[in-house]
Amino acid sequence: MAEIRTKSITVAAVTVAFGLLLAALSAHTIGRSGGDPASDGADAPEVPLERRITDFTAGFGPDSGYREPRRAERRAVADAVGLILDGHPDRARPPLADAGFRLRTLTDTGTGRRYAELSDRTEDGPAPRGWGRVYVDLSAPARWSVQVPHPVSDADTERLGARVLLDSPGGVLVLAGAHRRAGEDDAADAAHRTDSVFDAVCDELARRGLPGVQVHGFADDSAPGRDAVASTGTGSAGRPDARRLASALTARHLTVCRAWVRDCPLEGRDNVQGRRAAADHVPFLHVEFARSVRASDTGIRRAAAAIDTVTSRWAKGDAD
């Protein structure tokens, strides 16, 4: 009888130990996947996000190709962005897949913050469609956006947009996927077309009331004596933020043409994202930077730091 009792105790002990082991393994798995709202169960790889973005845009050119998306494809990506902002990444995956997009989670090596990356699967193939990317900061509630409609053609605005995203929490970067001259009849000019994935995503953000800053670039001789042109486009909801931005640029020794004070070139009044924001009474800043500013890391750093004076307020919910 003693031998039987000993065997029973041993079997029970092994059973309990095995159960504890399974529970520990389960907890480890849940801990890895459950803490990341856009993860599919794998840890988010660490990458220098700015370099990832500039590597993506490095191949852009007037002949790099562009295909106009159908309405359903534009809507699918925009709806997926909304689902991610609402904390439902798993529900975002089917519409993204329908549009030929994928969702990844990345950790920026500089900030340590996690970002959802929505990217076009055709980027890996011989004929990319040029529909761009979206990056959503997962470390804080989404409160604002930075928009780059003319990467490479407005040289280094992609670098500036990446810096702006990384400087303040709670941002969404909307990045066009082609040179503005890549499509026929200006089809890839994302700032002036309403039939792009870029515009559909920006519309979704404006519908949600997220203020945005759109960055552009100009040749130095297009606005002689000016380092930047600051405007609110056709709207006025962002006027207080525009004044703050202009003051921050001036404090960093950049000369600014203020479009709400005098006539300036490149005011962006025909910008379609600005028109949508104005219709929704959402703050929108259209900012142009001279090539001499964008040509150096120092200039880009100064420009991004000035924009950060506004986006850091937006991150706290203080948009005017």
Side-chain angles (χ1 to χ4, degrees):
M1 292 295 294
E3 183 180 354
I4 293 174
R5 283 198 300 270
T6 301
K7 287 182 178 180
S8 299
I9 293 171
T10 301
V11 170
V14 170
T15 301
V16 171
F18 184 67
L20 291 173
L21 177 60
L22 288 177
L25 289 172
S26 176
H28 175 68
T29 302
I30 293 170
R32 290 179 65 198
S33 61
D36 184 352
S39 172
D40 55 6
D43 287 335
E46 293 190 0
V47 298
L49 198 60
E50 181 183 345
R51 186 189 306 166
R52 182 175 181 85
I53 289 167
T54 55
D55 285 349
F56 164 57
T57 60
F60 289 8
D63 300 321
S64 56
Y66 178 76
R67 178 175 82 73
E68 296 177 41
R70 294 187 294 271
R71 177 180 176 83
E73 293 167 325
R74 303 193 303 265
R75 191 67 258 161
V77 179
D79 287 347
V81 170
L83 287 167
I84 292 169
L85 298 186
D86 290 337
H88 304 298
D90 289 338
R91 289 168 55 188
R93 295 182 190 280
L96 285 175
D98 289 343
F101 267 63
R102 62 186 157 207
L103 175 61
R104 294 189 182 104
T105 306
L106 308 170
T107 301
D108 175 58
T109 53
T111 63
R113 294 201 293 264
R114 291 192 174 195
Y115 293 85
E117 178 190 76
L118 289 72
S119 62
D120 189 344
R121 291 183 182 276
T122 70
E123 292 164 9
D124 299 332
R129 300 178 297 187
W131 292 357
R133 290 183 177 181
V134 181
Y135 290 89
V136 180
D137 184 0
L138 300 174
S139 71
R143 296 272 173 78
W144 58 274
S145 76
V146 54
Q147 305 163 13
V148 184
H150 300 147
V152 178
S153 56
D154 286 3
D156 294 309
T157 53
E158 62 277 5
R159 290 182 61 204
L160 177 56
R163 292 284 182 91
V164 171
L165 176 70
L166 295 170
D167 278 353
S168 298
V172 180
L173 169 62
V174 190
L175 179 67
H179 191 284
R180 70 182 296 179
R181 303 298 182 201
E184 295 183 4
D185 299 323
D186 294 327
D189 185 355
H192 301 101
R193 300 283 297 232
T194 59
D195 55 356
S196 68
V197 169
F198 179 94
D199 184 69
V201 173
C202 290
D203 271 5
E204 176 67 20
L205 300 178
R207 186 183 69 81
R208 291 168 172 267
L210 269 66
V213 54
Q214 193 171 110
V215 294
H216 293 260
F218 63 89
D220 290 355
D221 58 4
S222 296
R226 301 291 187 179
D227 296 312
V229 177
S231 171
T232 58
T234 59
S236 59
R239 193 67 57 78
D241 290 315
R243 293 192 183 99
R244 291 185 187 94
L245 173 59
S247 296
L249 290 167
T250 301
R252 288 160 178 80
H253 310 293
L254 298 174
T255 58
V256 186
C257 188
R258 295 163 168 82
W260 57 93
V261 175
R262 60 179 56 84
D263 288 337
C264 298
L266 308 166
E267 293 181 352
R269 295 190 184 278
D270 58 349
N271 182 284
V272 296
Q273 290 81 41
R275 289 180 179 274
R276 171 59 190 267
D280 290 346
H281 306 289
V282 173
F284 175 84
L285 305 182
H286 182 281
V287 194
E288 297 261 2
F289 290 98
R291 182 70 190 110
S292 56
V293 174
R294 293 171 285 119
S296 70
D297 189 69
T298 298
I300 287 178
R301 188 166 57 248
R302 288 161 66 194
I307 296 173
D308 178 57
T309 63
V310 174
T311 57
S312 61
R313 296 185 74 256
W314 289 347
K316 299 173 185 175
D318 295 334
D320 290 321

